[in-house]
Amino acid sequence: MWTTAAESRPVESLPEPVGEWTRDHAAATCFFRSSNWYPPVLAGVRTLEEWLFAAGLIEEAAALTERLSPDDYGTYVTAWYREGLARYGSSWRYADIITALLAASRRLVPERYLEIGVRRGRSLCTVASQAPDCALYGFDLWVSNYAGIENPGPEFVRTELDRVGHRGSVQFVNGDSHQTLPAFFAAHPDLTFDLITVDGDHSTLGAAQDICDVMPRLRIGGILVFDDVCHPALPGLRQVWQELVASQPRFSAVTFDEAGYGVGMATRRF
């Protein structure tokens, strides 16, 4: 849930990931031979930046939002994209959760995608538009009027996925992610993911716990996306991203915080 700035203020101690880290690899970003001289991951932060700011990506994001059922926020974001492109053309360097997921899913074509914070399914649809056979796992509380926007539930999201031609399986896990994620992973000890988005609990400790829960299940070479890294009312989210991901040698990360509410994208190195 959204919180006030006071509730999401930075804290001195954040949680740490628990459990063993998967040794599974994302094939799209890893390289193997019979003798491996180097670590297998081919793509780091500079490559992620190229993906994130690739020509035509914002136009694709605008077209995607227009394909989905309209709501006030979606209409606003589409207008934001169009205005930025009209003013600055191809020189406009902008990123958000939609453009980040477009970039990541286009390159990875993930087999399995996990998302915390589904709401109307815009992010799920972004991934599905690039990887129509991907198995999708969505975790949400389905809070009514979440952040001032209608939150119609799983069946609505399924109809949105149909709009982008998704063919793979979809599993929704309903409830508090701090309870449902540990239970889900305990029931699926070998399940790993090419791509994961954390966009649920926006309190500092809540967001940190979600990241710590999913990090060990991200494949080596897989990508983690984290939303709202520069939200002015939620300063703790930047701390969470910086301390748990961007500053860690296990990850190679790019952070966009120049406009909008920002987004972080990182690939797991080992």
Side-chain angles (χ1 to χ4, degrees), residues 102-119:
L102 271 177
S105 55
R106 173 189 293 174
R107 301 292 181 168
L108 291 176
V109 191
E111 295 179 8
R112 290 186 292 274
Y113 168 62
L114 184 148
E115 177 173 292
I116 305 171
V118 178
R119 197 160 55 181

Side-chain angles (χ1 to χ4, degrees), residues 9-17 21 204-205 207-208 211-212 215 224 226 229 235-251 253 255 266:
R9 63 183 180 273
V11 295
E12 293 183 359
S13 179
L14 297 178
E16 296 183 357
W21 289 72
T204 302
L205 288 176
I211 282 186
C212 288
M215 285 164 75
L224 174 69
F226 185 67
V229 295
L237 295 185
R238 183 189 292 271
Q239 179 195 11
V240 169
W241 176 251
Q242 182 61 33
E243 292 189 18
L244 294 182
V245 182
S247 65
Q248 296 298 318
R250 188 181 290 275
F251 292 93
T255 305

Side-chain angles (χ1 to χ4, degrees), residues 13 21 44 55 61 77 126 151 176 185 199 206 215:
S13 179
W21 289 72
V77 168
T126 300
N151 199 4
D176 185 338
F185 288 144
D199 188 24
M215 285 164 75

Side-chain angles (χ1 to χ4, degrees), residues 219-239:
R219 288 175 169 175
I220 296 170
I223 291 177
L224 174 69
V225 174
F226 185 67
D227 200 21
D228 296 326
V229 295
C230 65
H231 196 301
L234 303 164
L237 295 185
R238 183 189 292 271
Q239 179 195 11

Side-chain angles (χ1 to χ4, degrees), residues 49-176:
E49 286 182 336
E50 292 292 330
W51 295 353
L52 194 57
F53 301 112
L57 195 67
I58 298 173
E59 291 91 336
E60 285 191 40
L64 175 65
T65 58
E66 290 172 337
R67 291 172 64 185
L68 302 177
S69 298
D71 70 326
D72 290 345
Y73 178 72
T75 300
Y76 175 84
V77 168
T78 303
W80 172 277
Y81 292 149
R82 299 294 186 196
E83 184 68 18
L85 291 169
R87 292 190 187 192
Y88 312 117
S90 60
S91 64
W92 188 35
R93 288 173 66 85
Y94 173 75
D96 60 17
I97 190 172
I98 300 302
T99 64
L101 286 172
L102 271 177
S105 55
R106 173 189 293 174
R107 301 292 181 168
L108 291 176
V109 191
E111 295 179 8
R112 290 186 292 274
Y113 168 62
L114 184 148
E115 177 173 292
I116 305 171
V118 178
R119 197 160 55 181
R120 293 177 63 91
R122 192 172 286 111
S123 298
L124 278 177
C125 288
T126 300
V127 175
S129 72
Q130 304 299 304
D133 295 313
C134 182
L136 307 176
Y137 298 80
F139 291 72
D140 205 296
L141 268 171
W142 310 107
V143 175
S144 178
N145 198 38
Y146 180 85
I149 300 173
E150 183 186 6
N151 199 4
E155 292 311 310
F156 173 83
V157 176
R158 292 182 190 276
T159 65
E160 294 293 273
L161 288 168
D162 289 340
R163 289 176 178 267
V164 297
H166 182 245
R167 301 184 295 261
S169 63
V170 186
Q171 181 174 344
F172 293 111
V173 181
N174 305 327
D176 185 338

